[in-house]
Structures are given as structure tokens and as C-alpha cells.
Amino acid sequence: MLAVAAPVLDHMFRSVGRSGCAVILSDARGVILERRAGDGDAKGFAAAGLVEGAMWGEAEEGTNGIGTCLFEDKPVIIHRNQHFASRNVGISCMDAPVHDPHGRLVGALDVSTCRDDHGPAMAEMIAALVRDAARKIERDYFCRHFEGNRIIFLSDDTVAGTALLAVDRDDLVIGASRAARLRLGLNDAALAAPRVLAQLLGEGAPPSFEDADRAVLRQALAQADGNASKAARLLGIGRATLYRRMARAGLTH
């Protein structure tokens, strides 16, 4: 997750760092793993305890951006005096949860500011950036985890995240992001055995050898730019056999 998140954190900091914001990534317990802060603001964040290794779960700090985001598993904005601990009322925090490729909560992405010139309107704008960045981390994490497989995009939702399915070469679903699980009603038990993509999406016609043969023949012809002899060589069969199979599959040349 950290390898995937690092460039996203850097990009996020380039967007908000000059306004006095810090960009922070915690784990699922609220322990700060990474922080980006400007030199002029670092001292203020350190005084507030927003440093690597500090724990910001609700059990330790009460209501706060990181801890409340993790507790509720949804994006939150915690303004200055909404914090539980009086020592934290000088901070405003905008957070979004981060989930791993199996839909499990693994962290919170946080943008915090110690400056008092950041009002609710600014917080709402930054919160939208935080949600988008968290979705990008989840998306890149999912794609890296299932690298080498086909990734199917279903939808993008502001709160739930990006709905993605990982499909192997046989069109069997081998992974689903949290948003895809919510959208399709899937859990670990449902994904314990591979599921046919078309069936999972409600498009399921029974499998047939005819459809499989037709797909293979069309792919070979496409790779051969329509040249039957070349397509036959790609498939390791004679041209006459290719023509017989094409006729059986309803293909003309």
C-alpha cells in the first residue's frame, strides 16, 4: 500500500501544501505511517502530535479526523472545535478511508491544517480532493495486486469508491474491490471459488463449445489481419481444418 500511495501523497501535497496543509496516511489502527508537511508548518503539526508513529485512533484521541474516519469507515470532516480533546481544537481535518484489494479497511488518508484561515468552504473543497486521492490509492493498489489479469471497471462512486473486478484468462472473477462487493452483494465466501463474469453480472448464458470456438477463430483471424493461412498457422491447424471450423461456427471468409 505504501509503495502505491507514495506518488499519490506527493501529488496531493503539491496541491494543498502551500496552503499550510499536511498530507497524512495512517494504518487501520490510526498509526501515522507517512506525512508530507511544509517546512514552515512542520513544527505546528509536530506540536499537535501529527507525526509518523503517533496513534490517532478514536480510543486514544476521541473524535478526530483519522480516528472517526476509521471508526465510521466513511469520509469525514472534523473542524477545529469538533475534536474531542481540547489540545486538538486548533486542527481541521479532512479524511477518507482506504481499502485493500479484498475490501478490507487498511487506513485513512488525511489532510489537516493548523491554520485558522481555513473555513468550511475550503474544507469541503479539500475533502473532495481527499476522497479522489483515496480512490486512486485503492484503484492502483487493486490493479497492482491483480497485475497480469484483466481489470473490469463497473462504476465510480464518491463514497463507496471504484467498483473493479479482476478476471483471469478464462473470464472467471478472482477479485473484487470494496465498491464492487457492495454493488454486487459479494463477500469473501462468495469469492472463495471463481465465479463466471457474465453470470455474476446477470448476463449468464450457459457456456458452449460453439461460442468458445467462434471466439478463438475470430481472435486468430483478427491477429492475422484476415489472412486465413496465417490464422491457421497461429492456431497450429491446416487451412482446410480452419475453414471447416469457421463454417461450423457460422463464420464466412
Side-chain angles (χ1 to χ4, degrees), residues 72-253:
E72 297 188 0
D73 196 4
K74 67 180 184 181
V76 299
I77 299 174
I78 305 296
H79 286 297
R80 301 160 68 85
N81 59 6
Q82 292 175 331
H83 284 86
F84 173 79
S86 59
R87 64 180 176 277
N88 297 332
V89 297
I91 311 169
S92 291
C93 306
M94 291 65 69
D95 289 76
V98 178
H99 301 87
D100 74 4
H102 306 289
R104 297 181 294 241
L105 179 66
V106 289
L109 178 63
D110 170 270
V111 170
S112 291
T113 178
C114 295
R115 296 187 183 179
D116 57 10
D117 58 349
H118 281 216
M122 176 70 78
E124 290 289 348
M125 287 191 292
I126 293 176
L129 295 176
V130 172
R131 291 192 296 268
D132 287 344
R135 287 204 302 270
K136 178 168 177 51
I137 293 172
E138 290 184 347
R139 184 168 63 245
D140 293 351
Y141 194 5
F142 185 90
C143 292
R144 177 173 293 196
H145 182 78
F146 290 105
E147 189 174 2
N149 296 284
R150 190 155 57 100
I151 306 297
I152 307 296
F153 171 82
L154 300 179
S155 68
D156 216 350
D157 182 86
T158 301
V159 176
T162 305
L164 300 170
L165 296 174
V167 181
D168 68 11
R169 62 182 296 178
D170 299 316
D171 259 4
L172 298 178
V173 176
I174 57 174
S177 68
R178 175 177 180 269
R181 290 165 182 250
L182 293 173
R183 180 183 173 94
L184 299 174
L186 301 173
N187 54 27
D188 287 343
L191 291 166
R195 306 279 296 276
V196 178
L197 175 64
Q199 184 181 31
L200 193 63
L201 298 179
E203 305 167 354
S208 70
F209 287 113
E210 289 79 8
D211 288 344
D213 283 350
R214 181 183 176 89
V216 169
L217 291 167
R218 292 189 66 198
Q219 289 170 12
L221 287 166
Q223 288 184 42
D225 295 323
N227 184 305
S229 297
K230 185 176 179 181
R233 288 196 298 273
L234 287 172
L235 293 171
I237 59 177
R239 190 169 65 171
T241 302
L242 175 73
Y243 283 133
R244 284 198 301 274
R245 292 195 174 187
M246 287 173 60
R248 192 163 59 238
L251 297 174
T252 59
H253 182 67

Side-chain angles (χ1 to χ4, degrees), residues 42-81:
K43 188 174 181 180
F45 290 117
L50 288 169
V51 295
E52 286 92 340
M55 182 170 282
W56 279 80
E58 272 206 344
E60 291 76 29
E61 293 291 337
T63 300
N64 73 88
I66 294 172
T68 302
C69 172
L70 293 170
F71 182 79
E72 297 188 0
D73 196 4
K74 67 180 184 181
V76 299
I77 299 174
I78 305 296
H79 286 297
R80 301 160 68 85
N81 59 6

